[in-house]
Amino acid sequence: LDPDSQMGHHFFIDSPINGDRQRALVEELIPWIDVRFRTVAQPEGRLLLGEGAGGRAVLDLLGSHPNTFGHAWALLPEAITFSGLGALDLYGSENAFTDDEGRLRPATRSPLGPRHDLTHASISDEVLMTHTISPEGRSGRPWDAWRASFSSDGPRLKSTEWPFDLETGEIKPAVVTKWSVHDLLLRASLDPAFAQTLRTRAWIIGAERDEFYRARGIKALADALGI
């Protein structure tokens, strides 16, 4: 399956910008395949597997369609909660670029020994790179993919769809609230059936010090699920 759009990974989310990707997969493509091939047309015959953006996608697909998919393996899933969007907490932070002490928030790293990291890029670096490549939001990089998938203002991308000010990094609560509809941790806390599906039928594989700080979101979701 091709997970890419002009903006990057579409996470198989139904969105105004990317279209009804999830509905098309579940309601059109899978039935089409089942009619034409000798498949096991039951949930136990369908295993979802994804890494990074794909890891996030398979958790959403499994939890949203437990009667279509049987299990999911998610390797280092990204953007599963906006309280742990890499090193950034969109809900609890006032600024996306710097922490309370004015230090730049890191975006990518390499571990140096047991306690130190080498920071390759900060969040402000990543945002600047993304915007420089394509001010229209078609860079294909993570921030443009997240904006296209989690925003509800489509079909045209606008600067207001960033969850923070591009120049100052100041968080925009109204945009974050719109994004929160796609927060898997928040959804699990509000929907017991969704949480139970992930708890019993999903395997989430992480690492303590991964390159993109995804472990923060993974741990938060695991704690919420009690696993």
Side-chain angles (χ1 to χ4, degrees), residues 7 15 38 53 58 73 105 110 198:
M7 295 76 167
S15 72
R38 291 190 299 174
V58 302
W73 283 32
R105 297 186 191 276
S110 293
L198 296 188

Side-chain angles (χ1 to χ4, degrees), residues 82-144:
F82 304 133
S83 62
L85 191 57
L88 175 61
D89 177 359
L90 280 179
Y91 301 129
S93 303
E94 295 184 0
N95 193 287
F97 298 159
T98 58
D99 61 20
D100 294 339
E101 298 180 5
R103 295 173 299 194
L104 289 174
R105 297 186 191 276
T108 60
R109 65 175 173 184
S110 293
L112 293 179
R115 291 186 299 274
H116 301 286
D117 297 329
L118 173 63
T119 299
H120 301 293
S122 66
I123 291 178
S124 58
D125 292 333
E126 179 65 28
V127 169
L128 177 61
M129 183 187 306
T130 299
H131 189 63
T132 300
I133 292 173
S134 175
E136 296 78 24
R138 301 181 187 277
S139 71
R141 298 188 66 82
W143 277 108
D144 278 345

